[in-house]
Amino acid sequence: MGRSPYLAPDFYGKALAEGRHRAIVGGRWDETGRAQMAALIEVGRLAPHHHLLDIGAGALRLGCKAVTYLQPGHYWGTDASRELMLAGHAAELADPARLDPAQLIADDAFAFPGVPEVITHTIAFAVFPHLPHDCLGLALANLARFPRLEVFLFTVFLAPEAQAGAPFRQPDGVVTHPDRPPRHVLERDVLAAAAGWDLTKHDRMLPRGQVLFEARRAGG
Ligand SMILES: C[S@@+](CC[C@H](N)C(=O)[O-])C[C@H]1O[C@@H](n2cnc3c(N)ncnc32)[C@H](O)[C@@H]1O
């Protein structure tokens, strides 16, 4: 099975040393950050007083906008690479004093260590297409410990059942794969991973043709 480029030896160190923190998360910097803010506000009904957890926050492509929008201290990020988030903190924040670097937490297991219970909103944008499909279920299970969580937004690539066994060209042109990143999944596998959650699929145009899902606790 193909492995994520994020697991290649010294992937982060080399790219960061070359100043390529934007490229590590896929570029299209402003457009992709804006798309995430719009989804959070329009679908997630995010307001400045809410508390946001950005899972797989990368170089703060969303964070540089969310930190300005939210009240100071209301943004947390987790990522497999804390150095990547710190590079974003150093280079991308309009006012770095609005985000304590302690709120950028290394986590490659969707365990959210040290993230407080105040979280109301969470997003994982362009994270699961790079990882094995069981990571989605793991993230959903571990988010159960946040009592005030209203909504979890996440993206995946989908492929129709009949074509999912082979490389598949997404609406934006990117080719996804059943067995290696960027990975596509079946819609029914997303639904199966989210048992206990009310899931809504949104038909918004997102960069690279990803599909946005909104998860809210069932009965919540
Ligand atoms: C395509 S980037 C998207 C980053 C960010 N969400 C954004 O939209 O800018 C994917 C991110 O997932 C992170 N990542 C890879 N494996 C991870 C894991 N097991 N747990 C958490 N983050 C991971 C990478 O370091 C990278 O920052």
Side-chain angles (χ1 to χ4, degrees):
M1 181 178 288
R3 282 164 53 94
S4 163
Y6 295 106
L7 295 173
D10 205 30
F11 170 80
Y12 295 102
K14 185 167 181 299
L16 289 176
E18 293 166 355
R20 293 193 288 112
H21 61 272
R22 288 189 175 195
I24 291 176
V25 299
R28 295 176 71 165
W29 184 262
D30 192 51
E31 170 198 4
T32 308
R34 274 192 278 113
Q36 294 183 65
M37 278 308 294
L40 280 164
I41 292 169
E42 291 161 23
V43 175
R45 301 193 284 276
L46 183 75
H49 68 276
H50 286 128
H51 293 82
L52 175 66
L53 169 61
D54 189 3
I55 300 169
L60 310 189
R61 187 164 55 172
L62 165 65
C64 68
K65 294 180 165 51
V67 166
T68 302
Y69 175 81
L70 294 166
Q71 292 175 9
H74 286 214
Y75 174 91
W76 278 260
T78 59
D79 198 278
S81 170
R82 183 158 190 264
E83 290 64 34
L84 178 56
M85 294 187 288
L86 293 177
H89 191 285
E92 303 291 353
L93 295 186
D95 179 3
R98 286 175 73 90
L99 175 62
D100 183 344
Q103 291 182 202
L104 301 174
I105 296 168
D107 176 24
D108 67 359
F110 301 95
F112 319 126
V115 179
E117 288 192 351
V118 292
I119 295 301
T120 55
H121 290 63
T122 182
I123 185 167
F125 192 95
V127 176
F128 298 119
H130 298 286
L131 296 169
H133 180 59
D134 54 4
C135 290
L136 172 60
L138 183 62
L140 284 160
N142 290 340
L143 286 174
R145 81 166 166 84
F146 294 100
R148 295 181 210 163
L149 184 66
E150 295 178 18
V151 65
F152 172 37
L153 301 183
F154 63 90
T155 60
V156 294
F157 286 112
L158 294 178
E161 299 251 4
Q163 289 156 276
F168 180 75
R169 187 170 297 279
Q170 298 290 336
D172 212 7
V174 64
V175 174
T176 57
H177 304 271
D179 53 358
R180 67 180 168 90
R183 185 185 309 276
H184 57 241
V185 291
L186 297 175
E187 186 169 345
R188 68 177 155 88
D189 289 338
V190 178
L191 296 175
W197 295 76
D198 287 332
L199 219 54
T200 307
K201 184 177 118 184
H202 289 273
D203 294 326
R204 308 167 70 87
M205 263 309 281
L206 290 180
R208 305 198 193 285
Q210 297 176 83
V211 177
L212 179 74
F213 281 88
E214 169 190 5
R216 293 179 186 265
R217 256 188 276 267

